[in-house]
Each structure stands twice: as structure tokens, then as C-alpha cells.
Amino acid sequence: MTSDSGNLREPAIGGVAPSQLRLLTKVARMYHEHGVRQPQIAEQLHISQPRVSRLLKQATVLGIVRTTVVTPAGVHAELEEEIERRYGLRDVVVADTGHSSPDEPSTLKAIGAAAAVYLETTLTGGDRIGISSWSSTLLSTVDAMRPRPNPVAEQVVQVIGGVGSSTSQIYATRLADRLAILTGAKAVFLPAPGLAASPAAREVLMADPHINDVMGAYSGLTMLLAGLGSLEPSPLLVESGNAIADAEQQALRKLGAVGDICLRFFDENGDLVKSALDERVLGIDSLTLRSIPRVVAIAGGARKFTAIRAALRGGWVDVLVTDLDVARRLAAEPAR
């Protein structure tokens, strides 16, 4: 065997000879950088098209071709992933309002639009969806959704009463009915107040067979859409007639409550806060709520930050849709 000692040959990469590396690189550049289609590469280089395909795959394996994901403006993938990691969430959607200091209407609109896209993407059929009866962000979400040509859910079930004032009833039925229409599902309404006047009044209402049937459907839910409440009620909640009284708010604060999901209150660590109010709520209980496979919280704004963080810490939520300012604050703080 003879060799040319005057030529220092470059070592092979991954067991591939330099001459082969040249062909790999040439094919990769033609395809990825110059946009030449595989049949044209085969014709120009006088090799078969299957070989071109194999060479392109080999170029990727050897690191000659590397895939880089360029995040578009307005998309916050790294921030979403950081929040998912910190709080153990399945998914996070961050809505960019486009303003450095967004006011509440623009925040609600941005969150609603982002949540609508999330639902349109992830509802593929067969879901039984629970929905809270009052929430500005949920109203914004259903307003932003588009009807689907085929059914993507079986049921939309109201998980907490909404009949207080006449306005409250409109909000409650509009949410459930509108989402059912958009998803091709059957709407199931809970004809009861979210808060009964007393525990005794709640017991009377619970004796109604129809209300019992609706509540029986909660254990079969595969998904829940809910807002997150703070101790300071939103204007919508006050208008609905279902806002809790000032004295009850003070009692909840003394117990350490900072927020709620479907009127189930929790403290800053996300631990359930038990109070006398629980005996008056007509809606899904905390154990059933936590057993739902996918709980999607749609909430944002500075007023809700403490409640959102607590809900994540307590594991009440699987998916969060929120605004950019809240997301940045969540990512900047320890999960506990």
C-alpha cells in the first residue's frame, strides 16, 4: 500500500470520507440555501433522487445542516416554557397586548384572542367542557372564537350558578350557549344562583332533580374553562349580583384567601381556604374540579397577579392563558 506523505488528509467526520463530505455539503447547500428541488439536484449532479434524499438526511445527522427556530415578534416561546417549568404547567399562552402599560380593556381583548386560538387549535372532538358562569376573560374568549364546521366537543356544562340579577343570567347563559354553538356541543345550564342566601336555601335548591343532574355531569368533564378571581371583585362580578358581601370578603382575608376559581378560595400558596361561604355555593366542588384532566385558566391584568400566582402554586391549573406583563412577573419570581 502506498500513500502520498506530502498530503495531510483531513480526518473523516462520523466515518464519512472528505470526498463524500463535499458531496453532502454541496447537496445540502443546493437544497437549503439555494432552494433547488431534489429532482433538479439529482439531474444536475447525475445521481438518483433517492440518493439525494439520503444525503440530505445524512447531512442533518452529521450536523452539516442544523435547524434553527427563529421566534417571530410577538411570540414569547422562551417565557412560556420558563413558566411551564417553574409551575409544572402543561401549557402556557402569553398574549402580547402591544403596549408597555396596557389598560384593562386591551388586556382582556388580547387574552381573549389568544385563548380563542388555543381552543380552536386544541379542541379536536369528544371533550365535555365545563365553563364558569361569569368572567370578563371568558366572555372575551367566546367573542373571539369562530364557529367550527364540525363538532369538536360533546357538551358544554355550566359549573357554577349564574342566576342573581337578570344581567347575571344573561352572562351565564350567553357563555355556555355561545361556546356550545361554536363547538357544536350540547349546552347544559345550571338554573341556580352562584351563591344561595343561606346554607338552608342551598339545600332546598339542591333537592331539585334537574340541578342534581347537572352537578352529576361534573365528574365526567374532560376540560374546564375558568377565570381566576381576586378578593377585589371585578366590575362584571359586582354587576352580576353574585359578588360576595364586604363582610364576607373581610372574613376570607382574615383566613388568608387571595383568590378563587369557581368560588373555591385559596391562599397565597394555593392551599384551599375553607369558610362558611362554601356551604352557600352552588357549583363544582374543589375535589371534582381538581380531578378534571385539563383545567384552563384564562386570566390577566395586574389586579389578578397574586391570585394567578397562588393558583399556579397550588396546582389548580394545567394551562394558563395570560398577558405579557403577568407572565414576566411570574417568570421573575420563585414558584414557592
Side-chain angles (χ1 to χ4, degrees):
M1 179 182 292
T2 61
S3 64
D4 184 357
S5 60
N7 280 329
L8 295 176
R9 300 181 64 187
E10 294 183 4
I13 298 176
V16 179
S19 59
Q20 182 74 353
L21 289 174
R22 177 197 166 277
L23 179 60
L24 283 166
T25 304
K26 185 175 185 64
V27 169
R29 284 175 58 83
M30 290 176 71
Y31 184 76
H32 290 286
E33 295 186 359
H34 303 300
V36 183
R37 297 167 64 87
Q38 290 189 34
Q40 283 69 48
I41 294 173
E43 181 179 357
Q44 183 173 334
L45 299 183
H46 300 285
I47 57 178
S48 69
Q49 187 172 337
R51 188 181 180 192
V52 171
S53 179
R54 289 195 298 271
L55 290 169
L56 288 170
K57 291 178 182 177
Q58 191 176 8
T60 300
V61 171
L62 294 174
I64 295 171
V65 174
R66 299 178 183 179
T67 302
T68 301
V69 178
V70 179
T71 303
V75 176
H76 304 280
E78 290 185 6
L79 181 58
E80 292 171 350
E81 290 166 6
E82 175 63 18
I83 297 170
E84 290 166 14
R85 184 189 66 79
R86 281 177 181 259
Y87 297 94
L89 299 178
R90 184 185 305 180
D91 202 357
V92 173
V93 180
V94 174
D96 194 339
T97 62
H99 304 283
S100 57
S101 299
D103 57 12
E104 189 162 339
S106 64
T107 300
L108 287 174
K109 185 175 181 180
I111 294 172
V117 173
Y118 170 80
L119 293 175
E120 290 169 357
T121 303
T122 61
L123 288 176
T124 57
D127 272 303
R128 296 182 298 279
I129 307 169
I131 188 167
S132 180
S133 66
W134 59 74
S135 167
S136 299
T137 50
L138 292 182
L139 283 170
S140 180
T141 298
V142 297
D143 283 345
M145 289 179 67
R146 297 169 296 179
R148 303 300 295 273
N150 299 304
V152 293
E154 290 183 8
Q155 284 185 328
V156 171
V157 184
Q158 189 179 326
V159 297
I160 189 166
V163 180
S165 66
S166 58
T167 303
S168 172
Q169 186 173 8
I170 291 170
Y171 282 135
T173 55
R174 175 185 172 189
L175 268 173
D177 188 52
R178 178 63 176 158
L179 183 61
I181 291 171
L182 290 165
T183 58
K186 175 186 176 182
V188 180
F189 303 108
L190 179 63
L195 280 174
S198 66
R202 178 183 181 276
E203 290 302 315
V204 171
L205 289 166
M206 290 289 291
D208 185 306
H210 180 68
I211 291 177
N212 263 318
D213 288 345
V214 175
M215 292 192 172
Y218 296 163
S219 60
L221 296 176
T222 62
M223 181 180 182
L224 172 67
L225 299 180
L228 294 174
S230 64
L231 262 291
E232 178 190 349
S234 68
L236 176 60
L237 188 55
V238 172
E239 183 182 357
S240 75
N242 282 302
I244 60 176
D246 290 342
E248 291 169 325
Q249 289 183 40
Q250 292 302 322
L252 286 164
R253 285 191 177 93
K254 288 180 180 179
L255 292 170
V258 299
D260 78 280
I261 179 168
C262 298
L263 286 183
R264 303 303 173 181
F265 286 85
F266 43 77
D267 63 19
E268 64 178 6
N269 292 317
D271 295 328
L272 181 67
V273 171
K274 294 183 179 180
S275 73
L277 197 71
D278 294 332
E279 302 303 316
R280 294 171 47 208
V281 176
L282 281 101
I284 192 168
D285 64 84
S286 59
L287 289 176
T288 305
L289 192 158
R290 284 181 173 276
S291 71
I292 297 173
R294 181 165 48 138
V295 176
V296 181
I298 307 172
R303 182 172 57 83
K304 295 287 186 74
F305 174 75
T306 301
I308 293 170
R309 182 183 59 187
L312 301 190
R313 286 174 170 176
W316 292 89
V317 173
D318 301 297
V319 178
L320 174 67
V321 183
T322 193
D323 63 90
L324 180 57
D325 287 353
V326 166
R328 284 173 171 162
R329 291 181 65 185
L330 289 171
E333 295 194 5
R336 292 294 251 185

